[in-house]
C-alpha cells in the first residue's frame, strides 16, 4: 500500500503543485486548505507524514502541530513564508521535523519527505519481529509491540517517547548528553535545538511521575537505578 501524506496549504496553486510532485513519486496525498479539516483526517486516517503551512485561516499550523504532538510523533515538514530564525525555531520546538521557507523547490520537498518517511518506517516494528522486553525497575518496555508499562500499568507513549525510554532504560545510571539523545531519537539531520529533548523528558515525567529520570545539570539525563 502506498504511503499517505497529508498536505495542509490554503494557497491552491502551491497545494496543486506539491500534490502533483508527491503523486508522481507514488504517494497517496490528501490535500486540504484548513487545519480543522486536517485534524479530522488525522483522527480518522493517520497519514504517514504531514506537509504543513503555518499561515492558515482559523487554527494555524503551530496549533495543529501541537495537537498532533500530544499523541503522535508522525513526521511533520513545515512550509512557510516566514523566514525569520525565531519562526523556524518555534516551528521545530513545537514538534516540526523540518522547515522549508517559501518559495521552495518541490523536488527538495519530495527529497526531504522521502528521508523522513524512511526514518519513520525504520522506527516502527516489523511484522513477525521477535519480542524483546527491557525491564528497568518499575519500567517495562515491550520493543516488538512498542508498549510501555510503569508500576504494572500500561502507559500510552508516542514513538519518540518510547525511543527515549528505551535508550535510558538500556543503560541505567548512565548520563546521556542532550546532544547524544537528540541524535539517537531525532536523527543526525534534525534541524531543531536540544530543547526538544527537554520537552520530551518533561512529557515523560508528567505521564510517569515516579519514574526516576534525573537531570544531570549542564549535561543531560539518566534513568537512575532504584536499589532495594
Amino acid at each position: 500500500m502506498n504511503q499517505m501524506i497529508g498536505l495542509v496549504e490554503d494557497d491552491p496553486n502551491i497545494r496543486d503543485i506539491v500534490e502533483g510532485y508527491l503523486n508522481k513519486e507514488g504517494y497517496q496525498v490528501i490535500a486540504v486548505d484548513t487545519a480543522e479539516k486536517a485534524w479530522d483526517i488525522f483522527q480518522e486516517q493517520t497519514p504517514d507524514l504531514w506537509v504543513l503551512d503555518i499561515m492558515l485561516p482559523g487554527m494555524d499550523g503551530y496549533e495543529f502541530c501541537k495537537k498532533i504532538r500530544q499523541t503522535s510523533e508522525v513526521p511533520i515538514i513545515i512550509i512557510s513564508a516566514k523566514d525569520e530564525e525565531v519562526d523556524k525555531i518555534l516551528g521545530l520546538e513545537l514538534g516540526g521535523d523540518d522547515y522549508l521557507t517559501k518559495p521552495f523547490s518541490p523536488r527538495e520537498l519530495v527529497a526531504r519527505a522521502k528521508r523522513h518517511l524512511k526514518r519513520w518506517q525504520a522506527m516502527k516494528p516489523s511484522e513477525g519481529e521477535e519480542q524483546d522486553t527491557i525491564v528497568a525497575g518499575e519500567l517495562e518496555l515491550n520493543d516488538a509491540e512498542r508498549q510501555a508499562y510503569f508500576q504494572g500499568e500500561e502507559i500510552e507513549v508516542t514513538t519518540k517517547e518510547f525511543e527515549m525510554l528505551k535508550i535510558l532504560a538500556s543503560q541505567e545510571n548512565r548520563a546521556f548528553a542532550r546532544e547524544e539523545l537528540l541524535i539517537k531519537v531525532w536523527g543526525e539531520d534534525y534541524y531543531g535545538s536540544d530543547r526538544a529533548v527537554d520537552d520530551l523528558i518533561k512529557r515523560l515525567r508528567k505521564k510517569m511521575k515516579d519514574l526516576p529520570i534525573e537531570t544531570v545539570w549542564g549535561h543531560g539525563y539518566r534513568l537512575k537505578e532504584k536499589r532495594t
Side-chain angles (χ1 to χ4, degrees):
M1 183 178 178
N2 293 343
Q3 290 174 301
M4 183 188 299
I5 295 178
L7 170 60
V8 194
E9 169 62 67
D10 63 332
D11 185 318
N13 294 322
I14 295 176
R15 189 170 63 245
D16 290 345
I17 291 171
V18 172
E19 183 176 6
Y21 271 84
L22 292 172
N23 283 151
K24 285 181 182 178
E25 294 297 323
Y27 297 115
Q28 178 185 354
V29 181
I30 301 180
V32 293
D33 56 358
T34 69
E36 286 80 5
K37 293 177 184 176
W39 181 243
D40 290 338
I41 292 168
F42 172 76
Q43 293 177 300
E44 296 175 2
Q45 301 187 53
T46 60
D48 299 288
L49 177 142
W50 286 94
V51 177
L52 173 64
D53 187 20
I54 290 298
M55 302 299 291
L56 295 166
M59 183 196 309
D60 65 18
Y62 292 134
E63 184 62 27
F64 180 64
C65 193
K66 284 173 61 178
K67 286 173 72 69
I68 287 182
R69 284 294 175 256
Q70 290 173 5
T71 58
S72 174
E73 296 293 349
V74 63
I76 300 173
I77 299 177
I78 294 173
I79 55 175
S80 176
K82 293 186 172 184
D83 60 356
E84 295 294 328
E85 184 177 4
V86 65
D87 296 308
K88 295 179 182 179
I89 292 173
L90 179 59
L92 294 169
E93 290 187 348
L94 286 176
D97 295 280
D98 213 335
Y99 195 106
L100 276 174
T101 303
K102 297 177 183 178
F104 56 85
S105 164
R107 290 187 178 87
E108 182 179 359
L109 173 61
V110 170
R112 295 196 187 194
K114 285 182 177 179
R115 185 177 70 239
H116 288 295
L117 284 167
K118 185 177 180 180
R119 287 197 67 248
W120 177 241
Q121 195 63 38
M123 292 175 72
K124 296 180 179 179
S126 303
E127 281 189 33
E129 184 177 4
E130 184 179 351
Q131 179 169 324
D132 185 18
T133 301
I134 300 171
V135 178
E138 297 176 299
L139 176 67
E140 181 177 334
L141 304 173
N142 183 324
D143 196 19
E145 300 296 332
R146 284 295 199 263
Q147 291 174 317
Y149 299 86
F150 184 61
Q151 296 178 338
E153 294 186 14
E154 184 174 358
I155 307 298
E156 185 176 339
V157 294
T158 66
T159 302
K160 284 191 174 68
E161 289 169 353
F162 186 90
E163 287 299 314
M164 181 68 75
L165 288 171
K166 183 179 172 183
I167 292 165
L168 296 174
S170 65
Q171 297 185 61
E172 289 181 275
N173 291 325
R174 179 190 163 185
F176 289 87
R178 285 179 174 83
E179 293 80 6
E180 182 180 3
L181 292 171
L182 192 71
I183 291 172
K184 285 179 177 291
V185 177
W186 281 266
E188 294 184 358
D189 51 4
Y190 179 68
Y191 294 94
S193 74
D194 59 11
R195 283 184 58 182
V197 175
D198 298 333
D199 292 338
L200 195 147
I201 292 291
K202 186 184 300 182
R203 280 156 40 193
L204 287 173
R205 284 171 168 167
K206 186 175 181 180
K207 290 182 177 182
M208 293 170 272
K209 293 182 180 179
D210 296 326
L211 185 66
I213 296 180
E214 290 190 344
T215 301
V216 182
W217 297 109
H219 184 71
Y221 298 96
R222 69 181 171 202
L223 183 65
K224 186 171 177 60
E225 181 182 0
K226 281 193 173 182
R227 301 185 182 277
T228 56

